[in-house]
Amino acid sequence: LLGWKDAAAWMNIEIPNLYAAVEYASLNGRPDISTAISAAVHGFLRRYGKFDQAIMFHDIALKTARGTCDQLAEAGALTHLGDILRFFGYCHAAVENLGRAIELYDSLGEQHGKANALNELAAAHYLSDNYPAAADELSRALRLYRDLGDQLGEAHTLNHLGAMQHL
């Protein structure tokens, strides 16, 4: 592959195979593979607007995680689903998924996942014109990113807060 365009073209061709692998892994005792592939393709599917496919991947990951009582994988799948659902304009469903993800991350003590889910929840609130809730979620995410020393998460959150204050 000579660059990102070649890589994206290759990935686009391979998405059906990866989906088949996710389904196969889910049905054949490899839930870890199923949820890992679904998480790995999220950024690509999101970037290239393949939201229908993203929902299919994350739906399998969610069912697999729940079927194996893997709460961390469940929280990840809910976070990814919430992210994609808000792009469809289903902000209420996104808020529900992200709220459940935050609960799971809290119960597991997984602060980085919680911060990421809070950031996504803020975006869903923002798109629903619930600016006070969005600002609150971003402030909570910012504190977590700072506590974790995650400068990239902190920078993204500050960027989102700045964009909101620009309104």
Side-chain angles (χ1 to χ4, degrees), residues 6 19 87:
D6 288 342
Y19 183 76
F87 278 103

Side-chain angles (χ1 to χ4, degrees), residues 12 15-16 19 44-45 50-58:
N12 199 45
I15 284 293
Y19 183 76
F44 173 81
L45 296 171
K50 298 178 178 298
F51 302 135
D52 289 332
Q53 290 174 327
I55 287 176
M56 291 169 44
F57 272 91
H58 299 316

Side-chain angles (χ1 to χ4, degrees), residues 26 29-32 35 61-71 73:
S26 177
R30 292 306 309 263
D32 54 328
T35 56
L62 181 59
K63 288 175 184 169
T64 301
R66 286 180 173 162
T68 58
C69 299
D70 183 343
Q71 291 185 323

